[in-house]
Amino acid sequence: MWCLELLIPLLLIINASGQWNVWVPRDISAMTNSCVVIPCTFMYPSGIRPYRGIHGIWYFGQPYPQLFPPVVFKSRTDVVHESYKGRTKLLGDLHQRNCTLLINNIGTEHSGRYYFRADLGGANMYTYPDFAELKVLDQPNIDVPEEIVSDESLELTCYAPDNCPDMTPEIQWMYTDYLPDPEFSSDYLEESNTAVLSSTLTFTPRPMHNGQLLGCRVYYPNTTLVYERVVSLDIKYPPRSVWVNVSSEVMEGSSVMLHCEVDSNPPSRISWMFGDQELLWDTASNVSLSLDDVTPANEGIYTCVGDNGYGIMNTSLYLAVKYPPREPEVNNSMTVLEGTSLALHCSTQGSPAPTLTWLKDGELVGTITADELSVLEILEITPQGDGQYRCLAENEHGRASSSLNITVEYAPVLLEESKCTVVREGVQCVCMATGNPEPTIEFYLPDLNITINETDGKYNFYTHTDGHTSTGMIKLREKGERMDNGGPAVNVHCSISNVYGRESVLLELQQEKKYMMAVIVGTIGGVAVIAFIIAAVRYVGQNNKKENGNPRQDVVLENPALYYSAVKKDKQNLRKKVLKTELLGSKFNSILEETTGEDGDYQPVGSMAGLERQELNYAALEFIGARPREGASGRGDDGGNYSEIKAK
């Protein structure tokens, strides 16, 4: 038993800084009708000089005087709350900064928080916020484990507070005669000047001890104060066995019944578990779980758990659900830069496990995987990797697929169709490039230090975009100076650019194939026609002379015009090219004409209009206004003779 002299060392904790501080035990307990001592020391600022002595007040429940809390003790007067009249006494000396309080004959209504207020005179009053919480017990505490399992060692501990100076408690265990080899031990715990006496009973329970009573008695010698507490032992033993159906397979949409029986004493709480989810439970000897309209989500391990509180036993079964593949989960559509490496994931569920196939634009890529996860790796993707990727999942019950689009961005690339061509009215320059984003096309004339990137009447700048391909075209109406070889001098640069790069190239000058072919064919055709006409005229004249014996009468040509088509129409109605040749005596002219648009300017050519270059296939000759010889027969009355010259 501690005594008041133990409080003397506590005075040493007073801080030299002289602030308002108090020390009291946070928790303290006592038995009803006994007493309790609340140890207390306090301090105040060193600059304060009490001029009317030091006084103190103990409050219950609240630290603020304006809230009118019950007064437990007041050193100036004996005015206290009626529930504390004649019960309280200050054991400490306030001038020694000792505020220890004694409360006698306490009851459960005195349980609560206690605050100390120092009164040094005038305005030097302060209620300390720290408190001591008192718990008044009407019976001792017995520490009983939450689980008492058969055949395992058990410890029960009984506690009694010892915070009353003049009374020392003692502890006895009751109803222990039936226990097998019980052991008793005592302990005395003292902390923060509060004391607790404890007694521990140790034994090994058996199933037969279930429901037996055990008690703890606390009493104070030489008094009539006796306190008892009795507990009923709840001895449990685990379930003996758990039986369930065997594992089975069912088809999606069907129904199945799962049974579970548990042998235990007392009856167990039987629960059906699916993973961590409890589907059904009941306290009984058996429980059946019914699953209707089974889906793939119902496939898995089902566990029947028998739990009687202190013993658990379980048995599991596997329920397999057969179903077709579900829609695969794939990456989101993405835009990547050329050279990036990708990993495309495809996952699905199906029973049995489906095969996964990757298709790009309908063609097989990668390998076929017999699993629920397939990864397609694309190393350093190129522009050709741009397109739709589809993951196809298949098993014996069906198929499903999902798609994503990959857009590959890359620096512009100049196409081989880019060049300058001599045409009738000048030089036409075409620049074609592919890239993503679509390239921007500009023309630069270094001789004139001019950049052409917008429409103007002088250069007829034109641009067109088709997908990732951009086309630019200008027409130089002046062919420029002649070079040493007699050709036109053209110095045109094409600049292509997007966010990933820029390139500038000098466009190569080429003669227009159609123009040259027309001239060549026209020349050859003209010579052939002249020779043919001369031969025909002579042959006819000779025949007439032989037959009629008349003088020769030649065919008179009144400015006959010879027409033939330069280009045969294809299936896509390509542009017409007409080559007109006039024959007057020995004079031969060949002129190439190109069809123009409504505005008189050039129409889009090459890939801009989706056209293909066509070569000259044949030419047809038409004689207009020829006068036949007299007496000629076997001819039509349209006055025209026709022949066909075919050039390849």
Side-chain angles (χ1 to χ4, degrees), residues 435-483:
N436 191 11
E438 302 85 21
T440 299
I441 296 180
E442 296 179 343
F443 291 94
Y444 175 63
L445 307 180
D447 296 337
L448 302 177
N449 194 22
I450 295 176
T451 298
I452 305 172
N453 55 14
E454 61 183 15
T455 302
D456 58 51
K458 185 175 182 180
Y459 299 104
N460 292 331
F461 178 78
Y462 173 82
T463 59
H464 175 72
T465 299
D466 183 8
H468 299 321
T469 301
S470 296
T471 303
M473 183 181 71
I474 61 172
K475 183 176 70 175
L476 306 179
R477 299 185 183 276
E478 299 297 333
K479 297 185 180 180
E481 299 294 334
R482 309 299 292 184
M483 299 180 64

Side-chain angles (χ1 to χ4, degrees), residues 291-313:
L291 300 177
D292 298 323
D293 193 16
V294 174
T295 68
N298 298 124
E299 179 170 345
I301 298 175
Y302 289 80
T303 303
C304 177
V305 181
D307 183 2
N308 59 0
Y310 301 96
I312 299 176
M313 189 174 186

Side-chain angles (χ1 to χ4, degrees), residues 2-14 23 39-41 91-93 96-98 100 193:
W2 59 274
C3 60
L4 294 178
E5 284 77 11
L6 294 176
L7 295 174
I8 296 176
L10 296 177
L11 299 177
L12 299 177
I13 69 171
I14 299 176
W23 181 91
C40 175
T41 58
L91 300 182
D93 184 354
Q96 297 297 323
R97 303 181 184 183
N98 189 332
T100 301
N193 275 355

Side-chain angles (χ1 to χ4, degrees), residues 283-461:
T283 302
S285 60
N286 63 83
V287 173
S288 296
L289 173 65
S290 177
L291 300 177
D292 298 323
D293 193 16
V294 174
T295 68
N298 298 124
E299 179 170 345
I301 298 175
Y302 289 80
T303 303
C304 177
V305 181
D307 183 2
N308 59 0
Y310 301 96
I312 299 176
M313 189 174 186
N314 64 78
T315 301
S316 301
L317 64 89
Y318 189 86
L319 181 65
V321 180
K322 301 297 182 180
Y323 59 97
R326 294 304 184 232
E327 181 178 354
E329 294 183 1
V330 298
N331 306 62
N332 294 328
S333 294
M334 63 187 76
T335 299
V336 299
L337 182 62
E338 179 183 11
T340 303
S341 294
L342 305 176
L344 305 184
H345 292 78
C346 175
S347 61
T348 186
Q349 292 182 345
S351 182
T355 58
L356 298 179
T357 305
W358 279 102
L359 303 172
K360 178 185 180 297
D361 298 330
E363 296 185 0
L364 177 66
V365 291
T367 59
I368 300 176
T369 304
D371 200 351
E372 293 185 349
L373 174 64
S374 176
V375 179
L376 176 62
E377 295 185 351
I378 304 176
L379 300 178
E380 298 181 355
I381 193 168
T382 64
Q384 289 70 31
D386 189 291
Q388 183 187 71
Y389 290 77
R390 184 165 67 101
C391 178
L392 175 63
E394 297 177 288
N395 70 5
E396 60 191 63
H397 301 294
R399 61 166 53 185
S401 66
S402 295
S403 301
L404 72 147
N405 291 316
I406 295 181
T407 301
V408 181
E409 294 188 342
Y410 53 97
V413 178
L414 189 71
L415 299 182
E416 61 181 6
E417 290 85 352
S418 301
K419 61 185 176 182
C420 289
T421 305
V422 176
V423 294
R424 177 178 180 181
E425 297 183 3
V427 176
Q428 177 177 282
C429 295
V430 177
C431 183
M432 298 182 64
T434 180
N436 191 11
E438 302 85 21
T440 299
I441 296 180
E442 296 179 343
F443 291 94
Y444 175 63
L445 307 180
D447 296 337
L448 302 177
N449 194 22
I450 295 176
T451 298
I452 305 172
N453 55 14
E454 61 183 15
T455 302
D456 58 51
K458 185 175 182 180
Y459 299 104
N460 292 331
F461 178 78

Side-chain angles (χ1 to χ4, degrees), residues 82-276:
E82 61 181 7
S83 62
Y84 293 97
K85 288 182 179 180
R87 297 172 184 261
T88 58
K89 179 181 179 181
L90 190 66
L91 300 182
D93 184 354
L94 296 179
H95 292 86
Q96 297 297 323
R97 303 181 184 183
N98 189 332
C99 49
T100 301
L101 178 67
L102 169 66
I103 306 176
N104 289 306
N105 195 24
I106 58 176
T108 55
E109 69 276 10
H110 297 133
S111 296
R113 296 179 177 180
Y114 288 80
Y115 298 86
F116 178 71
R117 179 179 176 86
D119 183 359
L120 306 183
N124 297 319
M125 295 181 291
Y126 184 77
T127 301
Y128 297 94
D130 292 338
F131 58 87
E133 185 162 357
L134 173 63
K135 295 181 181 179
V136 181
L137 309 176
D138 58 1
Q139 59 181 357
N141 286 328
I142 299 179
D143 186 6
V144 181
E146 293 184 1
E147 294 184 355
I148 303 177
V149 182
S150 176
D151 302 323
E152 295 183 3
S153 180
L154 173 65
E155 288 187 354
L156 302 178
T157 303
C158 181
Y159 299 95
D162 185 15
N163 296 309
C164 186
D166 300 329
M167 303 171 63
T168 301
E170 292 187 6
I171 300 176
Q172 290 181 342
W173 283 97
M174 304 181 296
Y175 316 122
T176 60
D177 295 341
Y178 63 89
L179 297 180
D181 302 323
E183 296 180 0
F184 303 95
S185 61
S186 298
D187 195 8
Y188 191 79
L189 305 176
E190 186 174 0
E191 182 180 358
S192 301
N193 275 355
T194 62
V196 175
L197 179 66
S198 67
S199 177
T200 301
L201 169 63
T202 304
F203 70 101
T204 300
R206 300 286 187 265
M208 61 180 297
H209 299 141
N210 181 51
Q212 296 288 344
L213 298 179
L214 276 179
C216 173
R217 176 185 291 121
V218 175
Y219 66 96
Y220 292 92
N222 303 320
T223 69
T224 59
L225 300 178
V226 178
Y227 310 92
E228 295 180 351
R229 183 174 183 180
V230 177
V231 295
S232 176
L233 296 179
D234 189 9
I235 309 299
K236 302 297 181 179
Y237 54 94
R240 304 297 181 181
S241 64
V242 177
W243 176 89
V244 297
N245 308 61
V246 295
S247 297
S248 59
E249 295 181 354
V250 295
M251 290 301 299
E252 182 179 16
S254 61
S255 299
V256 65
M257 183 74 71
L258 306 181
H259 299 280
C260 177
E261 294 183 4
V262 178
D263 178 14
S264 66
N265 187 24
S268 294
R269 179 185 184 274
I270 303 176
S271 59
W272 273 107
M273 306 291 296
F274 182 60
D276 295 331

